[in-house]
Amino acid sequence: MNRPLPRAYWCHADTDSAPTVPPPDDLLTTAPGQALAWFRASVRRLTPGLDRDARRRARSWLSDHRSAEAAIRSLRRGQGYAYELPTPDGTWRWTAYPVSALPLLPTDQHPRSHA
């Protein structure tokens, strides 16, 4: 019997300009809440270097708990989620996409051939 592959979420951030702060490392997680926590931590890390308007927009998004809950529901339904933050230096974009995770062999086992 074929079981469906477990769902995971691939998270990525980038900007359309030369960033003064490097984007965070990508994240692959099996929990939509952890994906959103990655978004929030990354936005928080960026906010100190932003101008007043961008910092205000970022803080508003960070404090919007309904939006956070909607993002998690969207990911659970198998839909992607994105957040964009325009800044004077360029627009940052955070994305999370549901992906199917392939189970990996334990590191202490070697693949076997059934020829």
Side-chain angles (χ1 to χ4, degrees), residues 24-109:
D25 291 336
D26 292 351
L27 172 72
L28 182 64
T29 179
T30 57
Q34 195 172 37
L36 191 62
W38 175 88
F39 271 65
R40 294 171 64 79
S42 176
V43 171
R44 267 192 219 97
R45 183 177 63 92
L46 182 67
T47 55
L50 297 175
D51 73 321
R52 193 168 85 186
D53 289 339
R55 191 170 44 248
R56 181 188 49 75
R57 282 192 301 274
R59 286 184 178 154
S60 175
W61 179 80
L62 286 166
S63 65
D64 185 352
H65 299 290
R66 285 185 186 184
S67 176
E69 291 168 3
I72 291 172
R73 283 193 307 273
S74 178
L75 290 169
R76 283 189 179 135
R77 284 192 305 265
Q79 301 169 331
Y81 177 74
Y83 172 64
E84 285 190 356
L85 180 62
T87 71
D89 299 326
T91 299
W92 280 86
R93 181 174 175 86
W94 290 265
T95 55
Y97 297 101
V99 295
S100 294
L102 294 174
L104 300 176
L105 285 175
T107 56
D108 61 341
Q109 291 183 4

